Amino acid sequence: MPVISKKGRLMPSSPIRKLVPFAEDAKARGVDVIHLNIGQPDIKTPQAALDAIKNNDIEVLSYSRTEGTDEFRKKVASYYKVNDIEVTHKDIIVTTGGSEALAFVMGSIADTDDEIIIPEPFYANYNGFAVAAGIRVVPVVSKIEDNFALPPLEIFEKSITDKTRAILICNPGNPTGYLYKKEEIKKLAALAKKHDLFLIADEVYREFAYDGIEHYSILQEPGMGDHSIVVDSVSKRYSMCGARIGFLVTKNKSVIQTALKFAQARLSPPTYAQIASEAALSTPQSYFDAVIEEYVERRNILLKELSKIEGLKIARPQGAFYCMVELPVADADDFAQWLLEKFELNGQTVMVAPAAGFYASEGLGKNQIRIAYVLEKNQLIKAVEILREALKKYPQA
C-alpha cells in the first residue's frame, strides 16, 4: 500500500471539529446538541455585505488581482487608519481567510526546522500550519491561575535559539480571551528588535475588547516596521466566517514580495467574498457597540453560571468570545465524547472543545475545555446547567 507522508501523519486533528461525528450521531438519535465548541457567532452579518452580493451585476465571475483588488485594499487601509494604524494598500495582501495569511507568513519567514515561539494555549491550527511548513513550535506556557497573562519575558528569552525566526501571539487570544496590555506588547516588541525576530500578531478579534481595556496593535508600536506582521480577517468582526477573507499586513517590503509569490501560486482570493467584505467595511460603529455589549452580557452570564459549579477553575476573558475552564476530570477529551455519546438532560447535551489540542506541550490542558460564548444568553444558561449535571454523573475512571 502507498505510504502517507510524515507531514500527513503528524498533522493534528482539530480539537474544535474532531468530535463532529459524535455530535451528528447524537442528533440522529434525536438529541439537541448545544454547540459551545466553535467560534461561529449567531450575530447577524451586516446587511450591506449581504446586499452587495445580491445586487451586483457581474456577468463574468473572473479572477481578482493576486493581492486583492485595489479598491478593497484601500478601504482596508482606511479602516486601519481609523484605528490609529498607518498603512497603505501596498502593505496589505488579501488572503483566503486569516488561515491562508498565517500559512503565507510561515512560508515567507521560516525554513524547515526553524522555530517560532508561541505562548500556549494557542489557536489549535497554529500547530497544523507549522507542521505543513516544517516549522517547530516552541511553546511558552501561560497559566489559567494567571488568567493566561503574558509569561515572564525571561522565559521567552531562554527559548530563543539560532533557529528562532518569530514570536507569534493572538490578541485578543483564542482560546483564552486574554487581551494583551500595551505594556506587554511593548516588551515583546523590544525583545523582537533585540534578537532581530519577527513579531506576528493574529488580531482577528481586535474589535472585541472589554472592561475598558483598549486593543493595542503591534502595528502601532514605533520602530517595528520591519519586524511586525499582522494577520487579520473579516470572519469574526462582521460575523462573516463563510466569506473566507483575511489579510496579511506588514510594512516589511521583503515579506510582502515573498508572500505575494505564495499568493500567486493560489491565483487570487474569492471575488464575491471581496465584494461583500468591501461593503462590510462601511459598517457603522453602532454595530460594534451593540455586538460588544451583547458579548459582555453573554460573558458575564457564562461566568456567573459557571461559578455555581464546584471544582472549576475559570479564566476571565477580556476579549474575543472564548472562555477556558479547568474541569474536575482527568481527561476532557473523554468527557466531551461521553457528553455526546452517553449523556442528555431533557433531550439536550452540549459540545465543547477539549483544550489539549490548544497546547504544544505534551500533557498540558488535559482537563481543560474551551467554551465559545457565541450563543444567545438563555442557551448559555441551559448549556451550563447541562454541564453541571453531567459532571455529577460522569463516571470517573
Side-chain angles (χ1 to χ4, degrees), residues 103-180:
F104 288 173
V105 170
M106 289 191 178
S108 297
I109 69 167
D111 292 312
T112 301
D113 296 328
D114 281 343
E115 299 171 353
I116 293 181
I117 298 171
I118 313 178
E120 65 179 349
F122 52 73
Y123 178 47
N125 284 341
Y126 295 167
N127 273 327
F129 300 140
V131 168
I135 296 168
R136 178 171 174 255
V137 169
V138 178
V140 174
V141 182
S142 62
K143 299 178 181 179
I144 194 169
E145 292 83 2
D146 301 325
N147 209 39
F148 299 110
L150 185 73
L153 227 59
E154 295 76 20
I155 301 176
F156 283 87
E157 196 139 28
K158 287 178 182 176
S159 301
I160 295 172
T161 72
D162 59 358
K163 289 281 191 178
T164 307
R165 297 293 173 263
I167 298 169
L168 168 60
I169 62 171
C170 185
N171 187 35
N174 174 8
T176 64
Y178 185 77
L179 180 61
Y180 288 100

Side-chain angles (χ1 to χ4, degrees), residues 34 74 83 110 124 133 147 159 198 216 229 233 249-250 257 314 325-326 333 350 384 391:
I34 300 176
K74 285 176 180 177
N83 287 275
N147 209 39
S159 301
F198 289 103
Y216 184 71
I229 306 173
S233 168
V249 189
T250 180
Q257 289 165 8
I314 309 159
V325 181
E326 193 165 288
D333 277 272
V350 296
V384 177
L391 285 167

Side-chain angles (χ1 to χ4, degrees), residues 241-257:
C241 296
R244 310 312 305 134
I245 289 291
F247 327 113
L248 183 164
V249 189
T250 180
K251 295 181 180 179
N252 186 310
K253 299 306 179 188
S254 295
V255 172
I256 287 288
Q257 289 165 8

Side-chain angles (χ1 to χ4, degrees), residues 11-20 37-38 123-125 354 357-358:
M11 182 65 69
S13 298
S14 168
I16 305 164
R17 295 176 179 266
K18 68 180 182 180
L19 295 174
V20 167
N37 62 303
I38 192 165
Y123 178 47
N125 284 341
F358 296 105

Side-chain angles (χ1 to χ4, degrees), residues 241-363:
C241 296
R244 310 312 305 134
I245 289 291
F247 327 113
L248 183 164
V249 189
T250 180
K251 295 181 180 179
N252 186 310
K253 299 306 179 188
S254 295
V255 172
I256 287 288
Q257 289 165 8
T258 306
L260 186 58
K261 291 187 284 186
F262 284 92
Q264 286 167 347
R266 63 83 165 105
L267 303 183
S268 69
T271 299
Y272 266 134
Q274 285 185 86
I275 292 170
S277 299
E278 183 178 338
L281 287 169
S282 64
T283 302
Q285 183 59 39
S286 58
Y287 171 89
F288 297 110
D289 292 341
V291 170
I292 289 169
E293 183 179 346
E294 176 66 20
Y295 278 134
V296 169
E297 288 181 9
R298 292 179 184 187
R299 180 202 61 177
N300 292 346
I301 283 176
L302 176 68
L303 294 177
K304 178 183 176 184
E305 296 302 311
L306 287 172
S307 69
K308 298 175 183 177
I309 304 177
E310 288 187 17
L312 301 188
K313 286 184 182 178
I314 309 159
R316 181 181 176 84
Q318 299 162 318
F321 34 67
Y322 304 107
C323 179
M324 289 283 283
V325 181
E326 193 165 288
L327 304 175
V329 303
D331 189 336
D333 277 272
D334 183 75
F335 176 67
Q337 186 172 326
W338 175 84
L339 276 170
L340 296 170
E341 286 190 304
K342 304 288 178 61
F343 185 80
E344 61 180 84
L345 180 67
N346 300 322
Q348 292 184 305
T349 192
V350 296
M351 186 176 182
V352 296
F358 296 105
Y359 288 83
S361 298
E362 189 69 30

